[in-house]
Amino acid sequence: MPELPEVETTRAGIAAHLIDRRVIHVTIRQPMLRWPVPTDLARNLEGQRIIDVTRRAKYLLLHTSNGAALMHLGMSGSLRVIDANIPPQPHDHIDLLLDSGRVLRLRDPRRFGALLWIDGNPFAHPLLHGLGPEPLDDDFNGDYLFDRARGRKVSVKDFIMNSRVVVGMGNIYASESLFAAGIHPARAAGRISLVRYRLLVLSIKQVLQNAIGHGGTTLRNFVREDGRPGYFRHELNVYGRAGADCPRCGEKIRLRVIGQRSSFYCVTCQR
DNA sequence: AATCGCGCCTGACGGC
DNA sequence: TGCCGTCAGGCGCGAT
């Protein structure tokens, strides 16, 4: 569920509750996430002060003076900050009890998420090393994307969903950005002009910023740190709208599987 | 090197 | 109403 805007919404929501707080206790009810939660997580985290909460791609990092807890929400994860006496619900796998008397609680029905401990510099970790640029940073621009696309035959949708090219683009926002830029999702990445890549990059940045501004997209499980849903679902132009009218030209929105993922687009507006 | 396909899980939904 | 098949927003890994 969570793509970059949902993870960023979560980061911004939990940061104020966590920064300068000490982790008093770690409760692990279900360690079998995408990878087993390491047995030394509690030992490394308990007693430590959280000095910053950052995001890289769709990973969240809780930084301490020794290292960082790395979290991923997978397809169905959410994080909330709540009073410690609220009883856990099904799929509430992990609690970090804070010295404020509240807990950071991870819920993840499908358990595709992760919680790892990284000693030292987290950005040297294999999961973070080798990732492409952040889509909202200045080094992600049309010239960069055009250069990376030389000789590439994959669909442009698969191309921008490749985290070595650019991070954070999931299925929803890839579809929406390509619609905004007027590019057909199945077009080969190497057969798109520099001018059109510049427009695509602008579209990606606008779509992501707009989604963050709306608190992300809630389709099923996603809630913000205070339990509210995201409201960007109402802003979606093509995603999940197969058979409905294109908001730009009125043509029926098409659905086609590209790279094993449902892709939504308008044949008239996207070439 | 680039591309493709698989599988980790649970839950929601549609069709019968 | 209930059962069953299909699909879901991610992503690393191994095979080709």
Side-chain angles (χ1 to χ4, degrees), chain A residues 11 83 86 222 224 233 239 263 270:
Chain A
R11 188 205 63 77
D83 284 338
I86 294 177
F222 178 70
R224 294 135 108 161
R233 182 164 62 89
Y239 185 83
S263 302
Q270 294 174 255

Side-chain angles (χ1 to χ4, degrees), chain A residues 17 34 39 52 69 103 124-125 133 137 172 180 200 205 217 220 229 253:
Chain A
H17 299 283
R34 182 181 229 289
T39 51
D52 204 1
V103 292
H125 191 276
D137 284 357
I172 296 177
L200 176 58
K205 290 175 190 281
T217 302
R220 285 193 179 83
I253 300 293

Side-chain angles (χ1 to χ4, degrees), chain A residues 88-189:
Chain A
Q89 302 296 307
H91 311 300
D92 282 346
H93 303 315
I94 294 167
D95 282 357
L96 303 190
L97 175 64
L98 306 167
D99 61 2
S100 60
R102 314 188 87 184
V103 292
L104 177 69
R105 182 165 287 170
L106 172 69
R107 175 178 301 179
D108 185 5
R110 287 179 70 181
R111 289 192 266 137
F112 284 8
L115 175 54
L116 300 175
W117 173 258
I118 304 174
D119 272 320
N121 172 20
F123 300 105
H125 191 276
L127 287 172
L128 302 186
H129 190 75
L131 289 175
E134 287 286 328
L136 298 176
D137 284 357
D138 289 342
D139 58 349
F140 178 65
N141 54 51
D143 295 62
Y144 162 81
L145 205 52
F146 179 78
D147 286 345
R148 289 294 304 267
R150 293 311 83 211
R152 300 291 294 269
K153 293 179 173 148
V154 280
S155 69
V156 62
K157 180 160 175 277
D158 271 356
F159 180 62
I160 62 172
M161 289 178 69
N162 180 343
S163 64
R164 305 183 75 82
V165 174
V166 59
V167 300
M169 295 300 296
N171 206 29
I172 296 177
Y173 299 108
S175 282
E176 292 297 315
S177 299
L178 288 164
F179 173 77
I183 298 172
H184 194 291
R187 177 173 287 277

Side-chain angles (χ1 to χ4, degrees), chain A residues 191-206:
Chain A
R191 302 293 304 276
I192 294 171
S193 70
L194 174 58
V195 168
R196 299 188 82 203
Y197 268 125
R198 287 179 175 154
L199 177 59
L200 176 58
V201 166
L202 287 178
S203 300
I204 287 171
K205 290 175 190 281
Q206 284 175 3

